[in-house]
Amino acid sequence: MTEKPTESVEAFRARARAWLADTMPLRDDARPPGFTEDDTAEWERARELQKLLYAGGFAGIRFPTEYGGLGLSQAHQKAFDEESAAYELPLLLNLPSFAICAATLLDTGSEEQKRERVGAAIRGEEIMCQLLSEPSGGSDLAGLITRAERSGDDWILNGAKTWSTSAYAADWGLCLARTDWDVPKHQGLTMFLVPLKGTEGLTVNRIRMVNGSREFCEEFFDDVRLPASSVVGAVNDGWTVASRQLFHERNAMGGASPYVSGRGTMRVTPHPTPLDIALSRDRADDPLVQELLGEYLALRTVHEQTVGRVSRAIGTGALPPASSSLLRLLYAEVQHLGADNALRIAGASIGVGSGPQPGIDGRAGVGFLMRQGASLGGGSTEIARNVISERVLGMPREAAADRDIPFRQVKRGN
């Protein structure tokens, strides 16, 4: 990544502080929990805010200058995050558009794809998403059956994807498809950039989750035609692209992505922590509550320190890129413990929002309902444990009946 700090961190911080105060609206922490049926306005707002950042010279802080970013250091990004904490930012765009999709294109895309797609995202003109999981695939991403077949110079895409975060709001999707059925499953895949607006043969449906959100989607491809320029990386080398994409996803989930700007990735105020719940009830002096708080705060601190340590080690080559799964796993453990201990401190009122501060209780209740999401996003925690054991610790690989045989011969379903 190009890194050209042209001004000191202190000067950058001072410039950001003044610009934020003059330009950006303050964050509204009083917003109610939950999601609206029609959130089009929120996505349009995110685009507007990103355009403001770009016009002010604060968009794409860690992205290379040749693709529209500033090419600055992580210290510059941290300074901006600290100064912007009180302001409304386009956090919706952090995941998956910047931290995963744009980052993957930087590593594996063509010069044209990087200039056009990454540049447009930084300018606030386009949003990207991932099209990876499939209805029949479970955690076996390489076992996907969405297919792309040549038609002259084009490709024809058929199949289905699911659990695609924010696909309904995105302009482009990174879609992994099978292009060769006569080689082992990892070798016959190709990554494509698929336009999601007005594409003939493409259907996008939204999926309602337990918290009322409809941010996940399912997609159906019926003879969707794509030009040869849609291929990311090389034909039949899509697993290389997907592996890099999963690295960025685990980094993002673990809190170590250099491409996230601002604090957070969600549209709503973050779920209250156990400390927030304890303070709202004036129970911080209760010995049992202190034990629950200590357990949570200690694990959160371990995660925060591990993010820096593992990120530095990956950067120097002391640890392999697969070590990002450590951060992804720790993130899930912190989220689970936070939701569980918030519930233990709040008691039954968390379910109905009837405590001394109903707004906090309501958000904590939603947080508990969604706790398992931390086990699934970025690949399941079970997969993370496998990756750590096999690729970081060097333990024997898990047995696989479909290894090294042509995918056409792999038995599926019944």
Side-chain angles (χ1 to χ4, degrees):
M1 178 171 56
T2 303
E3 189 172 296
K4 301 175 182 177
T6 56
E7 64 179 321
S8 70
V9 174
E10 293 74 18
F12 181 78
R13 180 189 294 273
R15 184 163 65 86
R17 182 186 302 127
W19 181 84
L20 286 162
D22 289 341
T23 310
M24 300 299 280
L26 290 171
R27 190 182 66 204
D28 182 7
D29 285 335
R31 296 179 65 187
F35 300 77
T36 59
E37 285 290 312
D38 183 4
D39 57 3
T40 303
E42 295 186 51
W43 286 98
E44 290 304 314
R45 178 63 168 166
R47 292 178 191 259
E48 292 172 4
L49 293 171
Q50 184 66 27
K51 290 175 181 177
L52 281 177
L53 289 176
Y54 182 74
F58 294 98
I61 294 172
R62 295 284 280 140
F63 284 90
T65 56
E66 53 265 42
Y67 307 122
L70 301 183
L72 298 177
S73 71
Q74 189 61 32
H76 290 79
Q77 182 66 70
K78 181 180 179 182
F80 181 82
D81 293 346
E82 291 171 350
E83 295 299 327
S84 64
Y87 295 91
E88 184 183 1
L89 292 176
L91 301 181
L92 277 175
L93 305 183
N94 277 335
L95 289 179
S97 192
F98 284 128
I100 303 175
C101 297
T104 300
L105 287 180
L106 283 185
D107 292 343
T108 62
S110 67
E111 283 299 306
E112 180 183 10
Q113 289 167 349
K114 287 185 277 192
R115 285 196 306 270
E116 294 188 359
R117 301 285 78 80
V118 176
I122 292 173
R123 294 191 299 271
E125 297 169 359
E126 294 181 355
I127 297 169
M128 290 182 281
C129 73
Q130 303 185 91
L131 305 173
L132 298 179
S133 299
E134 297 194 358
S136 61
S139 295
D140 183 17
L141 177 59
L144 61 84
I145 56 175
T146 292
R147 65 190 185 277
E149 300 169 314
R150 286 190 184 274
S151 175
D153 292 332
D154 294 342
W155 292 88
I156 305 299
L157 188 64
N158 283 280
K161 298 288 183 178
T162 193
W163 310 126
S164 308
T165 302
S166 308
Y168 64 94
D171 301 284
W172 294 85
L174 281 172
C175 180
L176 192 62
R178 188 162 302 281
T179 46
D180 189 341
W181 295 69
D182 296 314
V183 295
K185 62 182 183 180
H186 292 84
Q187 298 175 24
L189 303 172
T190 302
M191 187 71 75
F192 294 89
L193 260 173
V194 180
L196 299 180
K197 303 295 188 186
T199 298
E200 185 176 355
L202 172 61
T203 302
V204 179
N205 298 327
R206 298 178 67 172
I207 301 170
R208 186 186 302 278
M209 295 192 293
V210 69
N211 66 346
S213 166
R214 298 173 68 215
E215 68 171 336
F216 283 161
C217 297
E218 58 181 1
E219 301 81 32
F220 299 94
F221 305 92
D222 297 296
D223 291 333
V224 172
R225 183 173 291 272
L226 302 172
S229 60
S230 298
V231 173
V232 180
V235 172
N236 292 332
D237 193 33
W239 190 250
T240 298
V241 181
S243 296
R244 197 60 186 167
Q245 190 170 342
L246 293 172
F247 164 77
H248 286 299
E249 184 175 19
R250 290 164 184 152
N251 250 9
M253 292 297 296
S257 172
Y259 302 109
V260 168
S261 191
R263 291 180 170 172
T265 58
M266 297 298 292
R267 68 187 70 188
V268 294
T269 303
H271 302 309
T273 67
L275 182 58
D276 296 326
I277 297 295
L279 293 176
S280 73
R281 283 165 166 70
D282 197 24
R283 294 190 62 194
D285 293 332
D286 183 320
L288 177 58
V289 171
Q290 289 179 343
E291 182 176 339
L292 294 173
L293 291 178
E295 182 184 25
Y296 167 73
L297 293 173
L299 184 60
R300 189 176 73 176
T301 300
V302 168
H303 172 246
E304 291 170 350
Q305 295 297 315
T306 304
V307 166
R309 182 179 180 182
V310 171
S311 298
R312 289 191 296 271
I314 292 175
T316 62
L319 283 175
S323 300
S324 61
S325 289
L326 291 164
L327 307 182
R328 186 265 169 279
L329 182 59
L330 259 179
Y331 166 80
E333 296 294 327
V334 172
Q335 296 303 307
H336 289 168
L337 187 62
D340 293 347
N341 283 5
L343 175 63
R344 293 185 180 109
I345 294 170
S349 66
I350 199 173
V352 294
S354 62
Q357 296 187 39
I360 290 181
D361 278 7
R363 295 203 309 276
V366 171
F368 184 77
L369 287 175
M370 295 300 293
R371 71 184 292 282
Q372 290 307 113
S375 296
L376 302 172
S380 70
T381 51
E382 288 83 357
I383 294 296
R385 287 184 169 92
N386 274 3
V387 171
I388 293 167
S389 65
E390 296 174 5
R391 304 181 196 174
V392 180
L393 300 179
M395 297 174 69
R397 291 187 65 179
E398 186 177 36
D402 59 2
R403 185 172 296 145
D404 299 327
I405 65 174
F407 189 73
R408 192 182 299 278
Q409 300 176 17
V410 174
K411 294 182 179 180
R412 297 186 298 277
N414 295 325

